């Protein structure tokens, strides 16, 4: 057996074993990398040099700013204002409470970029609102969780930033624009399903439509929604880099939360900053360790081997994209989203390039795919948050989520095989 084969077996085997033993993903990647380096008699200093290099990428500085901006808006009173605005817009139709849930998540997700923050912040309000109007608690919770995935598609999304850097040379501005239409498309699909369920079960409507209320709540919510405008126009228009736009978004979020909405004090900021640092410590450690792990993977020629293997299996683009989606869905059930993006993206790029798949388009597909993993056991973080805030057991929620899994997978396949939905806007605005 050749040295390369033994090294690959050690790398993959050690990583898999540590994951089975429920060791943290960062430790699993780092431990497998060091074991492989020792076998290859390469200096261990390469691991630590790679970790430093992985975090010195300027674009990655956007990630801390985006996370902080999302936390500021989450704790700064934006949640209830977005729900009031969404209720004024669609709360008067059949299934209105469900549509309010989806629309509010669409707005809030575009600010926070986090499905977990969306569910934790909006969930208690949305679930109570829906159950008061006669909706089943399981359905209300499942809709809240499913709609939260929109936030990872609608900019700003720090996962899109991580994908852009890991894929190498992919425009963040193009990715942000590419996620807008799919995010709205997913929201519309969930709204249609909510309407169907409301009609079927004869759920009540809320108060009548009022243009005055729409204008009033829209004006109040506008200050929070301006965060999306600042980021999208700034990055896609070439006025700012992603990092610069994220920094400005933090400043704007702070001003809105403290001096406009006045729902947050300076003292509250320290709690939010502490929470952000805890979140970022996990993300940045993963980025650092994944860089060394990725270097080892590339050194052993694994991406080329996988690309050749997949293309030898079938040259049919439709079949290969379906296989990739299934693999990502399965991995999303047992691994964290950022880990999969960091590990798999460099491996998949040669395959996608050989197939002629637009990397911007696939970025949208990958983020939506892995977003579904947040809603599935055994490690779906959003699933557990939904269970905690609603009081419904995880097992019952998982069973109730089945129609949503089917709906979201259908949307995923549609986006996979109709790339124009993702690429239309960046092509139009950026002239790609």
């Amino acid at each position: 057996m050749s040295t390369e084969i033994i090294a690959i077996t050690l790398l993959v085997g050690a990583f898999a074993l540590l994951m089975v033993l429920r060791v943290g993903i960062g430790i699993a990647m780092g431990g497998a990398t060091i074991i492989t380096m020792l076998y290859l008699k390469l200096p261990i200093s390469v691991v630590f040099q790679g970790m430093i290099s992985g975090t010195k990428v300027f674009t990655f500085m956007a990630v801390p700013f985006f996370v902080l901006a999302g936390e500021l808006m989450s704790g700064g009173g934006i949640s209830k204002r977005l729900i009031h605005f969404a209720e004024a817009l669609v709360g008067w139709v059949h299934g209105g409470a469900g549509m309010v849930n989806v629309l509010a998540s669409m707005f809030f997700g575009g600010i926070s970029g986090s499905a977990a923050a969306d569910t934790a912040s909006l969930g208690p309000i949305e679930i109570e609102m829906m159950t008061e109007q006669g909706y089943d608690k399981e359905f209300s919770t499942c809709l809240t969780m499913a709609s939260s995935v929109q936030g990872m598609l609608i900019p700003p999304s720090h996962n899109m930033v991580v994908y852009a850097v890991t894929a190498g040379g992919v425009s963040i501005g193009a990715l942000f624009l590419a996620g807008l239409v799919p995010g709205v498309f997913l929201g519309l699909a969930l709204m249609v399903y909510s309407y169907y369920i409301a009609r079927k079960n004869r759920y009540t409507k809320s108060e009548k439509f009022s243009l005055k209320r729409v204008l009033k709540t829209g004006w109040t919510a506008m200050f929070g929604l301006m965060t999306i405008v600042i980021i999208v126009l700034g990055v896609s228009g070439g006025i700012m880099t992603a990092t610069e736009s994220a920094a400005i978004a933090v400043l704007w979020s702070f001003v809105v939360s403290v001096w406009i909405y006045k729902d947050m004090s300076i003292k509250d900021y320290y709690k939010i900053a502490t929470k952000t640092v805890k979140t970022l410590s996990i993300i940045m450690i993963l980025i650092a360790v994944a860089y060394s792990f990725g270097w080892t993977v590339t050194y052993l020629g694994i991406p080329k081997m996988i690309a050749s293997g997949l293309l030898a299996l079938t040259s049919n683009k439709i079949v290969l994209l379906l296989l990739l989606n299934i693999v990502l869905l399965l991995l999303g059930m047992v691994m964290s989203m950022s880990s999969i993006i960091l590990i798999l993206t460099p491996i998949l790029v040669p395959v996608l390039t050989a197939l002629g798949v637009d990397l911007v388009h696939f970025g949208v597909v990958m983020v939506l795919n892995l977003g579904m993993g947040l809603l599935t056991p055994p490690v779906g973080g959003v699933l557990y948050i939904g269970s905690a805030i609603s009081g419904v057991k995880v097992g019952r929620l998982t069973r109730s989520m089945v129609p949503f899994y089917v709906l979201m997978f259908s949307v995923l396949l549609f986006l996979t095989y109709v790339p124009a939905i993702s690429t239309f806007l960046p092509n139009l605005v950026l002239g790609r």
Side-chain angles (χ1 to χ4, degrees):
M1 189 178 292
S2 68
T3 302
E4 287 78 10
I5 297 299
I6 295 174
I8 291 172
T9 304
L10 277 174
L11 182 68
V12 176
F15 177 72
L17 177 62
L18 290 171
M19 287 294 294
V20 169
L21 295 175
R22 296 183 178 275
V23 174
I25 183 73
I27 297 175
M29 284 192 290
T33 302
I34 290 173
I35 290 171
T36 307
M37 289 283 193
L38 289 172
Y39 171 75
L40 294 172
K41 297 181 180 179
L42 294 172
I44 300 299
S45 59
V46 173
V47 176
F48 301 101
Q49 288 171 0
M51 291 174 68
I52 294 171
S53 299
T55 54
K56 284 172 65 178
V57 179
F58 176 73
T59 310
F60 273 142
M61 287 182 65
V63 175
F65 286 123
F66 280 139
V67 173
L68 178 55
E71 292 291 348
L72 284 170
M73 298 309 291
S74 176
I78 185 65
S79 306
K80 58 184 180 183
R81 289 171 173 83
L82 289 177
I83 289 177
H84 291 159
F85 180 42
E87 190 172 14
L89 285 172
V90 297
W92 52 276
V93 301
H94 271 292
M99 293 184 183
V100 169
N101 189 324
V102 176
L103 194 59
S105 293
M106 194 182 297
F107 291 151
F108 185 81
I111 295 170
S112 72
S114 168
D118 184 329
T119 304
S121 180
L122 299 182
I125 307 171
E126 293 172 335
I127 294 169
E128 182 180 359
M129 174 188 67
M130 291 182 68
T131 52
E132 284 178 353
Q133 294 189 29
Y135 284 78
D136 180 82
K137 181 171 277 192
E138 284 85 352
F139 174 81
S140 304
T141 307
C142 290
L143 182 63
T144 300
M145 295 187 299
S147 63
S148 71
V149 176
Q150 298 170 102
M152 292 180 293
L153 295 173
I154 299 172
S157 169
H158 64 267
N159 288 300
M160 288 285 199
V161 175
V162 174
Y163 170 83
V165 177
T166 311
V170 177
S171 167
I172 295 175
L175 277 169
F176 280 179
L177 289 171
L180 273 172
V181 177
V184 173
F185 183 78
L186 174 61
L188 290 174
L190 291 170
M191 283 184 175
V192 170
Y193 182 61
S194 298
Y195 178 82
Y196 165 74
I197 293 296
R199 279 288 190 183
K200 179 181 177 182
N201 297 326
R202 298 181 180 180
Y203 292 136
T204 60
K205 305 178 186 179
S206 63
E207 58 188 85
K208 294 181 180 180
F209 176 78
S210 168
L211 180 60
K212 181 180 179 181
R213 185 166 177 245
V214 170
L215 294 175
K216 182 179 179 180
T217 56
W219 170 256
T220 307
M222 181 192 68
F223 297 102
L225 294 173
M226 277 297 295
T227 309
I228 306 174
V229 178
I230 291 170
I231 294 169
V232 174
L233 292 184
V235 176
S236 61
I239 302 170
M240 299 174 280
T241 65
T243 304
E244 291 165 347
S245 73
I248 292 174
V250 168
L251 180 60
W252 175 251
S253 301
F254 184 82
V255 170
V256 170
S257 300
V258 176
W259 287 298
I260 297 179
Y261 290 161
K262 298 181 181 179
D263 281 8
M264 188 181 80
S265 65
I266 300 296
K267 290 182 180 179
D268 294 329
Y269 171 76
Y270 293 105
K271 295 179 183 177
I272 289 172
T274 301
K275 183 179 179 181
T276 302
V277 169
K278 289 179 180 178
T279 303
L280 288 173
S281 63
I282 298 172
I283 295 174
M284 298 311 291
I285 288 172
L286 281 176
I287 290 173
V289 177
Y291 195 91
S292 289
F293 185 85
W295 183 91
T296 309
V297 166
T298 305
Y299 178 83
L300 293 172
I302 295 176
K304 186 176 180 180
M305 291 171 58
I306 292 177
S308 300
L310 285 173
L311 293 173
L313 183 64
T314 176
S315 59
N316 188 305
K317 183 176 178 179
I318 295 175
V319 175
L320 276 173
L321 285 173
L322 180 61
L323 288 174
L324 290 178
N325 268 317
I326 292 172
V327 168
L328 289 172
L329 283 169
L330 292 174
L331 289 174
M333 296 174 68
V334 296
M335 291 175 63
S336 68
M337 184 173 186
S338 54
S339 303
I340 298 172
I341 293 174
L342 289 164
I343 295 170
L344 280 192
T345 302
I347 294 175
L348 294 179
V349 165
V351 181
L352 299 170
T353 303
L355 289 173
V357 176
D358 189 320
L359 293 181
V360 170
H361 162 234
F362 190 78
V364 173
V365 171
M366 189 176 199
V367 168
L368 173 57
N369 189 311
L370 299 180
M372 292 174 62
L374 299 174
L375 312 177
T376 57
V379 296
V382 173
L383 185 65
Y384 292 106
I385 293 173
S387 174
I389 63 177
S390 67
V392 181
K393 292 183 179 180
V394 172
R396 285 174 60 190
L397 279 183
T398 303
R399 289 191 293 272
S400 300
M401 277 295 299
V402 171
F404 290 93
Y405 294 146
V406 174
L407 176 64
M408 296 179 76
F409 185 68
S410 300
V411 171
L412 174 66
L413 290 181
F414 193 71
L415 293 177
T416 299
Y417 296 118
V418 188
I421 296 174
S422 303
T423 58
F424 167 74
L425 199 55
N427 289 348
L428 178 66
V429 176
L430 303 179
R432 294 174 68 247

